[in-house]
């Protein structure tokens, strides 16, 4: 998604950046930037927040200069041929998680989520457009 939004802003990473590297992990990306190994990096906002909260990144050396516009991400999916009764049971379980209940909050915290919401295929059109522009 970040590549797509850079391209939408007229920036071609292959042309406009001296070097492109993939760290393999969001926290490693922050470390690459902090060490000067790369000039900039992209990582998930919740990972960034956690790194800052845990003081695992020096905010005097690394700054956020842009944030990707919101998009639907991290969906939970099931096989299309799964028994509809089981699909409903799973859906109800996720949508019924209540952060006011300690056990439910513990599950939501694992995903750094406050709740789950229903979704539909058209919510992922932006991700599909980004994938197509990347040749996927």
């Amino acid at each position: 998604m970040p590549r797509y939004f850079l391209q939408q802003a007229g920036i071609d990473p292959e042309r406009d950046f001296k070097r492109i590297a993939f760290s393999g992990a969001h926290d490693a990306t922050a470390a690459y930037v902090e060490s000067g190994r790369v000039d900039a990096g992209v990582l998930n906002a919740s990972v960034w927040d956690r790194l800052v909260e845990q003081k695992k990144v020096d905010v005097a050396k690394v700054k956020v200069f842009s944030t990707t516009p919101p998009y639907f991400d991290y969906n939970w999916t099931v096989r299309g041929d799964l028994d509809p009764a089981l699909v409903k049971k799973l859906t109800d379980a996720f949508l019924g998680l209540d952060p006011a209940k300690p056990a439910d909050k513990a599950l939501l915290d694992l995903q750094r989520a406050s709740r789950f919401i229903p979704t539909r295929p058209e919510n992922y059109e932006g991700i599909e457009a980004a994938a197509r522009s990347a040749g996927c």
Side-chain angles (χ1 to χ4, degrees):
M1 292 304 285
R3 173 181 291 273
Y4 175 73
F5 287 113
L6 286 170
Q7 290 169 333
Q8 296 300 304
I11 298 169
D12 177 353
E14 278 72 24
R15 179 193 70 217
D16 298 326
F17 297 135
K18 189 188 303 192
R19 183 171 158 247
I20 297 174
F22 295 95
S23 70
H26 295 280
D27 54 345
T29 298
Y32 279 17
V33 174
E34 185 174 344
S35 72
R37 184 172 179 181
V38 296
D39 293 328
V42 176
L43 60 144
N44 180 282
S46 66
V47 174
W48 169 258
D49 292 342
R50 181 177 41 88
L51 292 171
V52 170
E53 176 185 301
Q54 295 174 350
K55 299 189 183 334
K56 291 187 175 180
V57 65
D58 183 347
V59 294
K61 293 181 179 179
V62 182
K63 304 236 184 282
V64 174
F65 68 90
S66 182
T67 302
T68 301
Y71 60 92
F72 290 87
D73 197 9
Y74 294 106
N75 66 70
W76 290 86
T77 59
V78 297
R79 286 190 339 262
D81 63 350
L82 205 59
D83 177 12
L86 181 55
V87 172
K88 179 170 178 11
K89 200 172 182 180
L90 289 167
T91 301
D92 291 347
F94 276 97
L95 297 180
L97 290 172
D98 180 354
K101 297 177 181 174
D104 289 2
K105 183 174 181 345
L107 290 171
L108 290 164
D109 286 350
L110 290 171
Q111 293 292 309
R112 297 186 68 85
S114 57
R115 66 188 174 105
F116 289 99
I117 61 171
T119 193
R120 11 181 231 292
E122 58 269 21
N123 290 341
Y124 301 93
E125 290 172 355
I127 291 175
E128 181 179 2
R132 290 188 187 283
S133 80
C136 299

